[in-house]
Amino acid sequence: MADSAKVDGTKGKNGDVKPEEEYEVEKIIDFCRDEKGRDWYYVKWRGYSSDDNTWEPLTNLLNCKKKVKNYHKKLYLEQKLLKQNSKEKKKRHRSEEGLKNSKDCKRTKKDEEDEVDEEEDEGEREARELRKQLKAWETDINNKCTDPAPITVENTADMEGPPTNFTYINEYMSGPGIDIPNDPLIGCECTNCYENAEVCCPSLPGAKFAYNRYGRIRVKPGKPVFECNKRCKCNAKCPNRVVQRGRKHKVCIFRTANGCGWGVKTLVDIKRNTFIMEYVGEVITNEEAERRGREYDANGRTYLFDLDYDSSQDCAFVVDAGICGNVSHFVNHSCDPNMVVYGVWIDQVDPRMPRIALFACQDIKAGEELTFDYQMTGASREDADSSRTEGMFAEPGSIICKCGSENCRNFLF
């Protein structure tokens, strides 16, 4: 049914309880956002009196996207109209005082309708300009992105445009005083790395071959992943070359409706244990991260990821994706994530500087938002679960979590 909503079995014309079913939305009357960042809408149901109006979460209105969008557009125009100053109003029409003092002019209903139409036209112009800006941004990041799969951008939630202080990069960028070594000393001699797993690259540091023959991760989170490097004799199709081949799944950067800003969703189904994307940014020292962390905390968000894979040593390096990063910059946190973090070594020889790879920890359907737990470090899942106040971010704070999962910890860190 068009413009229908699925609600709990608590509603009937005479107050009788009915099983869960769909009702037709006549119009949306009001909107609010609760303390957890969830959107609620006050709904007038078609065929029911105003006494039967109810507050419904956005999840109950998935078949009413057009009505929700039109409501927010109308709300935006009303708010914009209220903010206009008197000078702007005088440029558009004569002031009410002028109409009162004029004997030759009378304000007609058509005048009022024309003004509403003018406001709607301006709102549509701004919407078109927003779409144009987002399309230009989408083109720009796809021109810079070296991954095989494209990125799309959409915003159907508000009027927020592209970020103004963000540069798309594809790999680690050296921060002040940082050297990123990428010249491995040795490579394997294999012609079939999967069949020769016991003597391939992972065996040199005493690790296991991390992937199955289809390139899916088969070692537990916390275990190191050593891929074949540029000195190896194997070709680009080697099953031990996964992260280095880049993101292969189409994704969309989208504006969330739950107050979490931008997010990332997959546009295709993804199987469990499949590589999805890398987390890249500027590599900086721990001391520099402490300084930047205080600035980020003042804004209630941070993008600092500690490269603390080796828990026996102090964290020497941190990845900052705040200003320079890839699509992972926009991935949101969840206390019940569908991606998990692994530390991966390829061409880099410094054991303190792994690449950060995000793999699917469950089957993910097309359209689902991609998330990971901001407290994961890549060291071990058990460590992350047992230490809820320690995580990948350099400067812990008291930022409220909006993930909405059943096992939500209420705070990010």
Side-chain angles (χ1 to χ4, degrees):
M1 180 186 295
D3 295 332
S4 63
K6 188 173 289 186
V7 299
D8 294 332
T10 56
K11 198 162 82 67
K13 284 190 174 182
N14 299 317
D16 53 320
V17 177
K18 294 184 178 181
E20 181 185 278
E21 58 179 280
E22 290 189 347
Y23 296 86
E24 187 175 357
V25 175
E26 181 174 323
K27 67 177 178 178
I28 296 174
I29 300 173
D30 201 357
F31 161 80
C32 72
R33 180 168 291 155
D34 64 23
E35 65 275 4
K36 292 186 177 180
R38 294 176 298 191
D39 291 346
W40 292 80
Y41 295 86
Y42 194 54
V43 174
K44 169 70 171 67
W45 303 100
R46 188 174 300 281
Y48 292 82
S49 71
S50 298
D51 294 336
D52 291 315
N53 293 355
T54 58
W55 284 97
E56 299 293 336
L58 180 60
T59 51
N60 282 2
L61 304 174
L62 296 181
N63 294 332
C64 309
K65 291 182 179 179
K66 187 173 181 180
K67 269 192 166 59
V68 172
K69 182 178 179 180
N70 289 340
Y71 172 79
H72 281 288
K73 181 179 177 181
K74 178 182 177 183
L75 184 64
Y76 168 76
L77 292 173
E78 289 174 350
Q79 292 173 343
K80 183 176 177 62
L81 184 60
L82 289 173
K83 291 179 181 179
Q84 288 182 317
N85 57 42
S86 59
K87 185 176 180 179
E88 291 174 328
K89 288 182 179 179
K90 288 178 181 179
K91 290 180 181 179
R92 291 170 163 230
H93 55 79
R94 286 165 292 185
S95 67
E96 291 185 9
E97 186 64 30
L99 287 173
K100 289 179 182 178
N101 296 333
S102 174
K103 294 182 179 179
D104 300 325
C105 297
K106 291 185 178 180
R107 187 174 179 80
T108 67
K109 184 176 182 180
K110 186 176 184 305
D111 293 329
E112 296 174 351
E113 291 174 347
D114 288 344
E115 288 175 14
V116 172
D117 290 340
E118 188 176 353
E119 288 298 330
E120 290 179 348
D121 289 343
E122 181 176 350
E124 184 57 36
R125 284 195 297 271
E126 291 188 356
R128 283 198 301 268
E129 179 61 27
L130 175 63
R131 290 193 294 269
K132 182 179 178 180
Q133 293 174 7
L134 293 176
K135 189 62 179 180
W137 181 41
E138 177 185 297
T139 301
D140 179 63
I141 60 180
N142 278 292
N143 287 338
K144 294 175 179 176
C145 177
T146 57
D147 290 321
I151 300 169
T152 60
V153 177
E154 69 176 37
N155 182 0
T156 59
D158 54 31
M159 296 298 290
E160 184 73 15
T164 57
N165 191 24
F166 176 73
T167 301
Y168 198 98
I169 61 175
N170 295 289
E171 57 188 11
Y172 283 166
M173 183 177 74
S174 299
I178 298 294
D179 177 47
I180 302 176
N182 63 351
D183 188 16
L185 301 176
I186 191 173
C188 73
E189 301 288 331
C190 309
T191 56
N192 188 327
C193 293
Y194 184 77
E195 297 295 336
N196 295 281
E198 306 232 340
V199 294
C200 194
C201 295
S203 67
L204 299 178
K208 291 184 177 181
F209 200 90
Y211 305 112
N212 65 18
R213 66 172 66 251
Y214 305 107
R216 293 179 190 160
I217 197 81
R218 63 180 183 181
V219 297
K220 293 182 179 181
K223 297 297 183 181
V225 177
F226 293 93
E227 292 194 1
C228 292
N229 60 57
K230 60 186 178 183
R231 289 191 179 274
C232 297
K233 295 295 180 64
C234 54
N235 62 35
K237 294 182 179 180
C238 170
N240 197 38
R241 297 181 184 271
V242 175
V243 173
Q244 60 193 270
R245 290 203 292 261
R247 176 181 49 80
K248 293 187 174 183
H249 303 89
K250 296 179 182 179
V251 297
C252 175
I253 300 172
F254 74 106
R255 196 72 179 168
T256 64
N258 62 355
C260 291
W262 294 103
V264 179
K265 61 183 176 182
T266 177
L267 299 181
V268 295
D269 293 346
I270 301 176
K271 289 290 187 181
R272 181 182 180 184
N273 297 330
T274 301
F275 169 66
I276 299 181
M277 68 181 71
E278 274 193 82
Y279 190 96
V280 305
E282 181 185 8
V283 179
I284 58 178
T285 63
N286 190 50
E287 292 73 23
E288 174 65 12
E290 293 286 344
R291 185 189 69 79
R292 295 188 189 185
R294 288 189 288 271
E295 295 179 4
Y296 286 137
D297 285 349
N299 296 320
R301 190 160 188 173
T302 185
Y303 299 90
L304 300 176
F305 197 128
D306 290 346
L307 296 180
D308 57 353
Y309 179 84
D310 188 351
S311 59
S312 66
Q313 299 183 12
D314 291 337
C315 177
F317 303 112
V318 177
V319 177
D320 182 4
I323 297 177
C324 299
N326 64 356
V327 67
S328 65
H329 166 97
F330 302 98
V331 174
N332 283 316
H333 160 85
S334 176
C335 298
D336 186 19
N338 51 23
M339 296 192 296
V340 66
V341 176
Y342 282 83
V344 180
W345 285 261
I346 306 175
D347 291 328
Q348 70 275 35
V349 294
D350 192 332
R352 303 170 300 170
M353 202 179 290
R355 287 163 70 163
I356 305 164
L358 297 170
F359 286 77
C361 57
Q362 63 189 50
D363 289 343
I364 307 173
K365 293 293 185 181
E368 285 188 42
E369 182 175 3
L370 298 172
T371 60
F372 69 97
D373 189 340
Y374 282 7
Q375 291 189 16
M376 289 181 185
T377 66
S380 74
R381 185 65 179 267
E382 289 76 13
D383 288 346
D385 289 340
S386 63
S387 182
R388 298 287 181 165
T389 59
E390 294 180 6
M392 70 181 191
F393 292 99
E395 191 71 22
S398 299
I399 299 176
I400 295 175
C401 179
K402 299 179 181 179
C403 76
S405 64
E406 291 184 2
N407 62 337
C408 180
R409 298 190 293 263
N410 298 321
F411 294 94
L412 291 183
F413 36 84

